């Protein structure tokens, strides 16, 4: 659970830098898009309503990030 920000750690693969990350709510609606601009990306979630959210990103080689988080 988080209330104001979360940190995405993509230091294991620098090819994620420059890719878009989408945040969707439990209904599947994209509520935020963030460009990953560092290996440790800070994402401000303070404007999101409390609930369950999903982060999704995809690289050119087809690799994906799919993570769930709870906004308190």
């Amino acid at each position: 659970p988080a209330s104001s920000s979360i940190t995405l750690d993509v230091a294991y693969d620098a090819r994620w830098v420059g890719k878009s990350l989408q945040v969707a709510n439990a209904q599947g609606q994209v509520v935020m898009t963030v460009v990953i601009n560092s290996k440790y990306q800070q994402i401000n979630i303070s404007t999101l309503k409390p609930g369950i959210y999903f982060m999704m990103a995809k690289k050119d080689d087809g690799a994906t990030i799919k993570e769930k988080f709870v906004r308190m």
Side-chain angles (χ1 to χ4, degrees):
S3 59
S4 61
S5 69
I6 55 177
T7 302
L8 178 66
D9 178 357
V10 293
Y12 63 91
D13 189 346
R15 293 176 295 169
W16 284 109
V17 176
K19 303 300 179 207
S20 291
L21 175 81
Q22 294 182 324
V23 177
N25 62 19
Q27 290 76 37
Q29 299 165 316
V30 175
V31 295
M32 181 187 302
T33 300
V34 176
V35 175
I36 301 170
N37 56 27
S38 70
K39 293 178 183 179
Y40 299 98
Q41 178 72 38
Q42 194 80 3
I43 302 169
N44 181 354
I45 60 167
S46 63
T47 59
L48 299 177
K49 295 178 183 176
I52 297 173
Y53 292 89
F54 301 90
M55 294 190 305
M56 302 155 289
K58 189 173 184 179
K59 284 192 308 191
D60 298 333
D61 65 2
T64 59
I65 293 174
K66 292 182 181 177
E67 294 292 332
K68 178 173 65 172
F69 68 92
V70 176
R71 162 68 163 96
M72 300 300 283

